């Protein structure tokens, strides 16, 4: 049966209008692919800088700087809090603005400056992991103990428990911070070294796989010659008329320089004995003419 003049519809053209062929998901456009490639390159470059050994070590350095500043701020504030109590202890009821009253203000800075100088020196030595002697720690403990005693003396004398607690906290915090900051600097220095080492190992180029080359077989070690073997070689190489010297022994046996004089002496004595024995045998032999007579 015919279509009665009706033209059948044409099949859809997937190659026109940007459509994807059937059974295949539409891919990204050229602009999207280029954008993704740029983002991937930027991300790889950023990660390469973030994981660089110097950048990782610099981050730990920043943390160490922050720790130092915070510890210095706490220690300075704690010493500043104790200044008034130490001044009152040193003034001992002197008249206001009198010379003893003014001189009493110098006591706390004297002790505090020594403590700060020790902590500043330990800041440098801890950075390079150089350990100080016992007198450094003794001086630090002595300055903190002196500050504590002068700061709490009035409260202990009055028997005021709240005053003892109040005036004990700042010196003890200063003491603990002074001890802890040294260990923290040591550990942060080790952290910088470890971070740099780990980052260097992570960023190390991968070895290129090369075909394995067979190693040549090792020759078995040469057996050590005995003295008698060297002497036998020299005896076989000697002929009448040849002067026996250490140099000649070394040339024919390839022995060590220290052994050649002994070999030359033994071979020479052996040749002399053989020559003497041959001469004696010749003298002792009876001529045939004398036997017939």
């Amino acid at each position: 049966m015919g279509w009665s003049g009706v033209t059948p519809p044409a099949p859809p053209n997937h190659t026109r209008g940007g459509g994807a062929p059937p059974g295949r998901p539409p891919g990204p456009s050229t602009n999207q692919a280029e954008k993704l490639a740029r983002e991937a390159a930027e991300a790889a470059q950023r990660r390469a800088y973030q994981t660089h050994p110097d950048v990782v070590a610099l981050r730990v350095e920043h943390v160490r700087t922050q720790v130092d500043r915070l510890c210095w701020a706490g220690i300075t504030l704690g010493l500043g809090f104790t200044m008034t109590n130490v001044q009152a202890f040193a003034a001992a009821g002197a008249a206001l603005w009198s010379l003893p009253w003014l001189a009493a203000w110098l006591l706390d800075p004297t002790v505090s400056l020594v403590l700060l100088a020790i902590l500043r020196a330990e800041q440098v030595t801890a950075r390079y992991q150089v350990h100080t002697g016992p007198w450094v720690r003794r001086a630090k403990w002595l300055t903190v103990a002196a500050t504590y005693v002068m700061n709490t003396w009035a409260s202990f004398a009055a028997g005021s428990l709240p005053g003892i607690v109040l005036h004990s906290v700042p010196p003890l915090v200063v003491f603990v911070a002074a001890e802890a900051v040294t260990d923290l600097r040591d550990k942060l220095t080790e952290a910088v070294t470890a971070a740099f080492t780990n980052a260097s190992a992570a960023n190390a180029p991968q070895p290129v796989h090369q075909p394995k080359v067979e190693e040549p077989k090792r020759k078995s070690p040469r057996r050590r010659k005995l003295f008698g073997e060297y002497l036998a070689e020299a005896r076989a190489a000697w002929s009448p008329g040849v002067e026996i010297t250490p140099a000649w022994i070394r040339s024919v046996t390839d022995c060590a320089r220290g052994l050649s004089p002994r070999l030359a002496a033994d071979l020479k004595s052996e040749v002399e004995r053989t020559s003497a024995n041959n001469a004696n045998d010749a003298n002792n032999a009876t001529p045939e003419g004398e036997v017939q007579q």
Side-chain angles (χ1 to χ4, degrees):
M1 180 177 174
W3 286 92
S4 303
V6 179
T7 304
N13 187 3
H14 295 286
T15 60
R16 297 178 182 179
R24 182 180 300 176
S29 63
T30 305
N31 295 334
Q32 291 178 349
E34 293 178 354
K35 182 180 178 181
L36 291 174
R38 288 195 302 269
E39 291 179 354
E42 292 177 358
Q45 186 177 10
R46 182 179 303 176
R47 183 180 179 277
Y49 281 112
Q50 289 178 349
T51 57
H52 193 274
D54 292 333
V55 176
V56 175
L58 184 61
R59 288 179 178 175
V60 183
E61 288 279 1
H62 289 328
V63 174
R64 178 165 57 184
T65 302
Q66 295 174 0
V67 171
D68 279 340
R69 290 176 179 176
L70 293 174
C71 286
W72 277 108
I75 291 173
T76 303
L77 292 176
L79 293 176
F81 180 84
T82 62
M83 182 178 295
T84 55
N85 292 327
V86 173
Q87 191 274 341
F89 172 81
L96 191 64
W97 298 107
S98 62
L99 187 59
W101 186 87
L102 293 174
W105 285 103
L106 301 177
L107 180 59
D108 186 78
T110 300
V111 179
S112 299
L113 288 176
V114 174
L115 177 60
L116 293 177
I118 296 173
L119 295 179
R120 182 68 180 93
E122 287 185 342
Q123 184 180 17
V124 178
T125 56
R127 181 181 182 85
Y128 299 100
Q129 294 183 334
V130 178
H131 297 284
T132 56
W135 279 104
V136 176
R137 175 159 292 187
R138 293 171 187 172
K140 183 167 57 177
W141 288 359
L142 178 62
T143 53
V144 176
T147 302
Y148 177 81
V149 171
M150 292 185 294
N151 192 58
T152 58
W153 184 266
S155 299
F156 275 107
S160 174
L161 185 60
I164 295 174
V165 174
L166 176 64
H167 297 297
S168 296
V169 171
L172 293 178
V173 170
V174 170
F175 173 75
V176 173
E179 287 294 324
V181 70
T182 304
D183 294 337
L184 286 176
R185 289 165 184 159
D186 288 337
K187 297 304 179 182
L188 287 173
T189 301
E190 294 178 1
V192 171
T193 305
F196 185 85
T197 304
N198 295 337
S200 300
N203 294 334
Q206 298 295 331
V208 179
H209 294 285
Q210 298 180 353
K212 185 177 181 181
V213 180
E214 295 183 359
E215 297 181 356
K217 296 181 179 180
R218 296 182 180 180
K219 296 181 179 180
S220 57
R222 187 175 58 180
R223 187 178 65 86
R224 183 178 180 182
K225 285 186 178 181
L226 301 178
F227 183 84
E229 294 176 350
Y230 283 116
L231 185 59
E233 290 182 4
R235 187 186 303 114
W238 180 82
S239 60
V242 176
E243 183 182 1
I244 302 174
T245 61
W248 178 81
I249 292 292
R250 290 196 300 271
S251 65
V252 297
T253 62
D254 195 20
C255 66
R257 182 177 294 271
L259 187 61
S260 59
R262 290 180 53 197
L263 289 171
D266 287 2
L267 182 59
K268 186 180 296 185
S269 62
E270 183 178 335
V271 170
E272 291 176 353
R273 287 196 304 269
T274 303
S275 300
N277 292 335
N278 292 337
N280 292 333
D281 292 342
N283 293 332
N284 295 331
T286 304
E288 296 180 357
E290 295 181 357
V291 172
Q292 293 177 357
Q293 292 177 358

